[in-house]
């Protein structure tokens, strides 16, 4: 575990969700659950205020990941399901807890000044909240009908998900074991990207904490944090992804002001690139310290060349257009091949799917496979959120439907189906490989980084 906890973020506290007997039976149903209008808000039901009152301590043995899964799809104050818009939109508090916009407004009061987190008591202003992007992506995946809620809800999966996990476990090769688990609730806040330094082995994680970039050493200890949240040009508003160049610079896509920002490992901002991007999202560094970047809204792929030591942009070139909402991207360090994950929109309750495209170093399309095609290989819907190349040039993706990491093979044999990790993940959103070929998975569901290696 990381030996340093984020002092900017208070420790979380947990409270059991009311059980079947927590309210008298009545017209609300056999469980007696009150409607939102009938029941008081959670901060008025037994949580200690600043002037005193009752207090409930955490349940014995309840871990951070239990809290993350306790009510993944609903606000833990009003117990109403999250939504993409309006008062149901999920918002991050600076302490790392997530509430709906309606409850944030109610806590702030009519003056809209400072509010107190109902779980850890940390004070903040409404302007310090931000969209919980991982939850919004999950809602996008589920669609308006919540078709996958049983697979991703509190119970951890329905019959279809259980069958898919069992099939993946049966096909998974032996010998890949969890070596380190870093971060966790209170240290990382809704992380969105992870990258490994090819020289030093340090890991850079982009998340929504006060300091947006968290750096771990190879042994798992916290080495530092940087990238303040703020209005300055080198501040990071909302990081979407991160990569580390071979010369040791951390490059971040900032969805808050649609820019790309570079830092050294001491946290000094060296370059901010604003080239008319619509929404820069995923990025990965080449062996020559160039950066391949996706623009999700423009549907384009860019190549950035810069002298990071001097803080000078040399060239920003669009190398591919007419992509459909491209997000995750990875570059093969040996061949120069590029793989991109597109997010496809579709009518109906499922609302969309993903497509994996592989390009040669000259940006010629050499292979692609969408969720429907992969269903022909594996009997489960696959929704890819992250992608990477391993040392042998095989394409590796994360799948949030089965909470798995899957190998799709080399470009010339693409696609095959070989599950690498089929259990122990909640909502994997990031992938990278270290210099010693350890697989690093960013699990936003329990706010952690998980390092796997051959045993």
């Amino acid at each position: 575990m990381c030996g340093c906890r984020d002092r900017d973020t208070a420790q979380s506290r947990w409270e059991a969700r009311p059980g079947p007997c927590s309210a008298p039976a009545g017209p609300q149903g056999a469980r007696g659950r009150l409607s939102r209008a009938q029941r008081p808000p959670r901060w008025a039901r037994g949580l200690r205020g600043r002037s005193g009152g009752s207090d409930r301590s955490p349940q014995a043995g309840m871990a951070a990941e239990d809290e993350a899964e306790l009510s993944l799809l609903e606000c833990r104050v009003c117990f109403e399901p999250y939504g993409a818009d309006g008062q149901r939109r999920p918002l991050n508090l600076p302490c790392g807890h997530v509430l709906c916009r309606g409850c944030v407004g109610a806590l702030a009061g009519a003056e809209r000044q400072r509010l107190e987190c109902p779980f850890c008591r940390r004070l903040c202003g409404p302007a310090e909240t931000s969209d919980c992007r991982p939850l919004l992506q999950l809602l996008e995946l589920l669609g308006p009908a919540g078709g996958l809620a049983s697979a991703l809800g509190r119970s951890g999966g329905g019959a279809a998900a259980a069958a898919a996990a069992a099939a993946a476990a049966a096909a998974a090769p032996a010998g890949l074991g969890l070596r380190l688990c870093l971060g966790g609730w209170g240290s990382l806040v809704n992380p969105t990207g992870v990258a490994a330094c090819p020289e030093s082995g340090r890991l850079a994680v982009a998340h929504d904490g006060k300091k947006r970039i968290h750096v771990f050493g190879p042994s798992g200890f916290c080495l530092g944090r940087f990238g303040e949240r703020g209005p300055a040009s080198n501040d990071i508003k909302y990081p979407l992804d991160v990569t580390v160049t071979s010369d040791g610079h951390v490059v971040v896509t900032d969805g808050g002001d649609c820019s790309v920002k570079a830092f050294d490992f001491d946290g000094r901002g060296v370059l901010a690139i604003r080239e008319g991007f619509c929404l820069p999202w995923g990025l990965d560094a080449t062996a020559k310290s160039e950066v391949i970047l996706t623009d999700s809204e423009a549907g384009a792929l860019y190549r950035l060349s810069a002298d990071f030591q001097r803080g000078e942009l040399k060239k920003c070139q669009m190398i591919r257009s007419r992509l459909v909402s491209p997000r995750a991207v990875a570059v093969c360090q040996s061949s120069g091949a590029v793989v991109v994950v597109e997010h496809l929109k579709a009518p109906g309750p499922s609302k969309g799917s993903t497509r994996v495209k592989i390009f040669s170093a000259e940006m010629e399309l050499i292979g692609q496979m969408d969720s429907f095609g992969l269903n022909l290989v594996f009997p489960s819907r696959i929704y890819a959120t992250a992608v990477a190349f391993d040392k042998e040039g095989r394409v590796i993706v994360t799948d949030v439907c089965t909470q798995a990491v899957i190998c799709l093979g080399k470009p010339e044999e693409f696609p095959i189906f070989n599950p690498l990790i089929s259990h122990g993940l909640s909502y994997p959103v990031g992938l990278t490989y270290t210099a010693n070929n350890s697989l690093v998975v960013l699990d936003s569901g329990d706010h952690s980084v998980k390092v796997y290696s051959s045993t």
Side-chain angles (χ1 to χ4, degrees), residues 2 126 240 294 306 347 358 366 376 430:
C2 172
L240 292 174
T294 64
I358 304 178
I366 57 178
L376 303 179

Side-chain angles (χ1 to χ4, degrees), residues 222-247:
C222 171
L223 300 181
R225 306 176 186 88
F226 61 85
E228 294 285 342
R229 173 173 51 197
S233 60
N234 279 331
D235 290 341
I236 301 177
K237 279 69 176 176
Y238 196 93
L240 292 174
D241 201 3
V242 62
T243 191
V244 181
T245 64
S246 57
D247 58 4

Side-chain angles (χ1 to χ4, degrees), residues 99-248:
L99 307 179
C100 69
R101 179 178 287 165
C103 289
V104 169
L107 283 167
E111 284 103 25
R112 303 291 296 170
Q113 294 179 351
R114 297 189 68 73
L115 62 95
E116 183 181 76
C117 174
F119 303 102
C120 67
R121 328 310 291 170
R122 178 170 174 175
L123 294 172
C124 69
E128 297 178 72
T129 63
S130 61
D131 287 338
C132 181
R133 197 64 70 95
L135 262 179
L136 289 172
Q137 291 180 25
L138 180 56
L139 292 171
E140 177 185 333
L141 165 63
L142 296 178
L148 295 175
S150 62
L152 292 171
R154 292 184 300 273
S155 64
L176 193 63
L178 180 64
R179 180 171 61 87
L180 284 173
C181 186
L182 316 175
W185 188 278
S187 176
L188 298 176
V189 181
N190 299 317
T192 54
V194 63
C197 178
E199 297 297 328
S200 65
R202 289 177 287 187
L203 293 175
V205 183
H207 71 127
D208 199 35
K210 183 177 180 181
K211 295 185 177 180
R212 306 300 216 182
I213 305 299
H214 196 129
V215 181
F216 295 100
S219 60
F221 286 95
C222 171
L223 300 181
R225 306 176 186 88
F226 61 85
E228 294 285 342
R229 173 173 51 197
S233 60
N234 279 331
D235 290 341
I236 301 177
K237 279 69 176 176
Y238 196 93
L240 292 174
D241 201 3
V242 62
T243 191
V244 181
T245 64
S246 57
D247 58 4

